Amino acid sequence: MNNIFVGNLSPDATEHEIRTIFEKHGTVERFRIMTDRATGQPRGFAFVEMADDACAEKAINALNGTEHSGRVIQVNPARLQLHRHSGNGRSRSNGDFTASAHRDTATGQC
């Protein structure tokens, strides 16, 4: 459950801003703001993967319904997407996330 959907983001939201908000609740391993393939513009949502399920749950509970850049953001567990088509008959992948930071495995804390 450590993969989190973050919706209703402002088009001006940056990775640094969102990552900083989530890092208050634990280690962020991966992050990705989704963009439109044709224009490259942000689509208003992102995915955050946290190092620990307990930290992810803590972040979801703390951040869902809070305000960021004048918008009330939605923060929920991401739903698993098993297969997706690009519209041209071929399946496509949204790629991988960028990894960073490490969890303190000695203490197991967020």
Side-chain angles (χ1 to χ4, degrees), residues 11 16 34-35 38 43 55-56 58-59 64 78 81 88 92 96:
H16 177 73
M34 304 309 291
T35 57
R43 294 180 60 196
C55 295
K58 180 176 144 185
N64 187 38
Q81 190 170 39
N88 62 5
R92 69 180 171 110
D96 202 356

Side-chain angles (χ1 to χ4, degrees), residues 26-93:
T27 300
V28 174
E29 285 193 342
R30 299 181 214 181
F31 178 88
R32 182 165 182 182
I33 291 179
M34 304 309 291
T35 57
D36 182 271
R37 288 177 50 181
T39 66
Q41 297 299 310
R43 294 180 60 196
F45 66 96
F47 292 96
V48 176
E49 187 174 317
M50 304 206 54
D52 181 88
D53 286 348
C55 295
E57 187 172 341
K58 180 176 144 185
I60 290 167
N61 292 333
L63 298 173
N64 187 38
T66 61
E67 186 269 333
H68 181 268
S69 297
R71 292 181 175 216
V72 176
I73 60 172
Q74 302 167 2
V75 182
N76 301 299
R79 291 181 288 169
L80 181 61
Q81 190 170 39
L82 298 176
H83 200 287
R84 183 172 180 177
H85 290 280
S86 64
N88 62 5
R90 297 182 313 189
S91 64
R92 69 180 171 110
S93 169

Side-chain angles (χ1 to χ4, degrees), residues 14-26 28 31 63:
T14 67
E15 176 178 349
H16 177 73
E17 291 171 342
I18 304 304
R19 184 181 283 273
T20 300
I21 292 169
F22 277 85
E23 285 177 340
K24 292 176 183 175
H25 303 282
V28 174
F31 178 88
L63 298 173

